[in-house]
């Protein structure tokens, strides 16, 4: 199994927002620069994340994207599901009863239960990890926070 870049970049981008901006709006150009992700591709991913209820946006000079919930309320599973649409290792693990049309071995497949269980465990694991957890990991690694210049005032 391999997650697409939409899911991986979605997790990285929302982590970036939680870590560097907290509750303040983040601009695509800043996230793009820090995470080395194309701004156009981030815009596409953010549309899915907005539909999934994980992001909101604000227009204007102090605008940008911001998290719709607190970092401790957003799981990696939610991000991947919003970006990818599903999280299953193989087709027959999504809905085993629906895979009859896709698999000739449906009534005699000994491996299907492996894929179903592995998908369940992966979903369970991703459900336990929040953006807050990732931010704590970043602090532990010594990742430096970047302050947003839009909110800095000089005297």
């Amino acid at each position: 199994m391999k997650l697409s870049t939409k899911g991986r970049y979605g997790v990285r981008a929302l982590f970036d927002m939680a870590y560097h901006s907290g509750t303040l709006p983040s601009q695509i150009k800043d996230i793009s620069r820090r995470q080395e992700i194309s701004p156009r591709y981030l815009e596409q991913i953010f549309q899915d994340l907005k539909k999934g209820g994980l992001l909101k946006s604000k227009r204007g000079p102090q605008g940008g994207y911001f998290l719709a919930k607190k970092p401790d309320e957003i799981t990696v599973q939610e991000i991947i599901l919003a970006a990818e649409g599903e999280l299953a290792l193989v087709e027959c693990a999504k809905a085993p009863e629906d895979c009859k049309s896709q698999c000739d071995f449906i009534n005699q497949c000994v491996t299907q239960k492996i894929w179903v269980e592995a998908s369940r465990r992966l979903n369970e694991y991703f459900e336990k990890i929040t953006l807050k957890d990732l931010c704590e990991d970043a602090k532990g690694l010594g990742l430096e926070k970047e302050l947003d210049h839009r909110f800095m005032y000089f005297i």
Side-chain angles (χ1 to χ4, degrees):
M1 182 201 122
K2 189 174 180 180
L3 287 174
S4 78
T5 54
K6 282 182 85 173
R8 295 191 334 261
Y9 289 178
V11 172
R12 283 174 43 194
L14 292 194
F15 153 74
D16 186 281
M17 292 172 67
Y19 193 68
H20 294 287
S21 302
T23 58
L24 299 172
S26 298
Q27 294 188 333
I28 288 275
K29 66 181 175 92
D30 296 324
I31 299 166
S32 170
R33 179 181 42 77
R34 286 189 295 257
Q35 295 298 319
E36 298 181 7
I37 302 170
S38 156
R40 294 185 86 171
Y41 195 36
L42 267 181
E43 284 284 359
Q44 292 173 15
I45 295 168
F46 278 15
Q47 292 310 309
D48 292 332
L49 297 176
K50 274 180 75 172
K51 287 177 195 165
L54 301 176
L55 280 183
K56 292 184 179 181
S57 60
K58 179 181 173 185
R59 291 186 172 194
Q62 299 297 316
Y65 288 94
F66 58 96
L67 300 175
K69 300 188 274 187
K70 296 176 189 169
D72 65 339
E73 297 172 347
I74 298 176
T75 66
V76 170
Q77 181 195 41
E78 289 177 295
I79 300 167
I80 292 172
L81 290 176
E84 302 271 352
E86 59 192 25
L87 181 58
L89 294 176
V90 293
E91 288 294 318
C92 67
K94 295 177 196 171
E97 63 279 355
D98 293 340
C99 79
K100 291 176 182 154
S101 64
Q102 300 168 10
C103 182
D104 295 332
F105 294 96
I106 189 64
N107 294 324
Q108 52 195 332
C109 183
V110 294
T111 61
Q112 182 186 20
K113 67 180 181 178
I114 296 169
W115 312 132
V116 170
E117 180 63 14
S119 294
R120 185 191 66 74
R121 288 184 188 193
L122 187 59
N123 272 288
E124 203 173 83
Y125 174 67
F126 284 157
E127 188 177 34
K128 292 178 183 175
I129 304 168
T130 66
L131 288 178
K132 182 181 177 188
D133 297 328
L134 297 178
C135 290
E136 289 170 1
D137 290 347
K139 285 178 191 169
L141 291 171
L143 186 65
E144 193 173 318
K145 280 191 178 187
E146 185 177 292
L147 298 174
D148 192 328
H149 64 279
R150 294 177 299 152
F151 301 104
M152 296 176 91
Y153 298 96
F154 300 94
I155 299 175

